[in-house]
Amino acid sequence: MKYLIVICLLIGACCVSCDGRISKSESLKASIERFNNQQSNTTTITYYPKEYTEIRTDTLLSNGTKISIKNYSLAADSIFISEDQSSIPKKIKRHRVFASDVLISTISNKQFSFQLSAEDFKFKNSEDFWNAATLQHVWVNQELSNSADVILELSFINPKDNSFKMYHLSINSSGHQTAELIAEDYSI
């Protein structure tokens, strides 16, 4: 009878110890597999420039005209550059879209305020350049500006193919704007 009780206890202990739990190595493999599956679904987006950018310039011409320009990146808009799906996590590169606010004040208290962006030029031109173009910078050309006209230089860049265009924007004393292409390059 003693042997029967001992055998029953041994069989009971064996049954209790085999409760179907997985081993530590199997648990580790399952955790690694779960982590890798989660990583394959994630995407890393890189922006250029990384953060909000703003540049303000104030220019006073010899004729008393004051020009204030604020070049800044738009937080909500960006241009798709490339996507690398071969890496984990998937990497996407984007270029922020820029705009400029311009305020021109003359000595005779006339003020002209307007915003410039690539969208303004996209509707006037049907070239592929404008599909992924953004305003790069706006500045005053003090040498060409005179008492009748303020001349702004505008540079646009297409970050997808590294091409650019430059324009003269002439604003006369009544606020009329005339843009003239002065340079373009498709091989930066």
Side-chain angles (χ1 to χ4, degrees):
M1 186 72 153
K2 283 188 197 179
Y3 293 114
L4 187 62
I5 294 175
V6 170
I7 291 175
C8 286
L9 286 174
L10 286 174
I11 291 174
C14 287
C15 289
V16 170
S17 67
C18 298
D19 61 357
R21 288 187 275 171
I22 59 174
S23 68
K24 288 182 182 180
S25 65
E26 290 173 338
S27 175
L28 179 62
K29 286 179 185 177
S31 294
I32 290 171
E33 188 175 314
R34 225 177 13 258
F35 176 77
N36 287 340
N37 287 339
Q38 290 173 349
Q39 288 298 316
S40 65
N41 295 333
T42 61
T43 302
T44 301
I45 301 174
T46 306
Y47 288 93
Y48 178 81
K50 290 182 180 181
E51 299 171 350
Y52 173 78
T53 303
E54 179 178 304
I55 300 169
R56 291 179 182 258
T57 56
D58 291 324
T59 306
L60 183 61
L61 299 178
S62 60
N63 64 3
T65 302
K66 180 182 177 189
I67 302 111
S68 297
I69 301 172
K70 180 174 102 173
N71 296 308
Y72 57 95
S73 59
L74 302 175
D77 289 338
S78 63
I79 299 168
F80 174 80
I81 304 299
S82 66
E83 181 176 351
D84 183 7
Q85 293 185 350
S86 64
S87 65
I88 295 176
K90 183 172 56 171
K91 295 179 181 177
I92 296 176
K93 292 183 181 178
R94 300 189 74 83
H95 191 287
R96 294 191 192 276
V97 173
F98 282 78
S100 290
D101 293 335
V102 179
L103 174 66
I104 300 173
S105 304
T106 63
I107 232 171
S108 60
N109 291 327
K110 287 186 182 178
Q111 286 195 342
F112 306 106
S113 179
F114 52 92
Q115 184 182 52
L116 293 169
S117 70
E119 292 294 319
D120 300 329
F121 288 78
K122 182 186 281 189
F123 298 115
K124 297 176 185 174
N125 300 293
S126 60
E127 299 174 42
D128 287 338
F129 171 85
W130 296 105
N131 292 335
T134 183
L135 182 67
Q136 189 175 22
H137 198 64
V138 176
W139 66 98
V140 178
N141 186 328
Q142 294 181 32
E143 293 177 9
L144 296 178
S145 296
N146 55 41
S147 59
D149 294 324
V150 171
I151 308 294
L152 300 178
E153 303 284 338
L154 292 80
S155 65
F156 295 93
I157 187 169
N158 182 324
K160 278 190 162 185
D161 61 8
N162 287 330
S163 57
F164 77 91
K165 291 182 183 273
M166 286 186 64
Y167 283 85
H168 280 307
L169 182 66
S170 176
I171 301 107
N172 67 13
S173 59
S174 62
H176 180 71
Q177 301 175 10
T178 306
E180 174 189 356
L181 179 67
I182 57 171
E184 61 185 329
D185 188 8
Y186 292 99
S187 60
I188 291 180

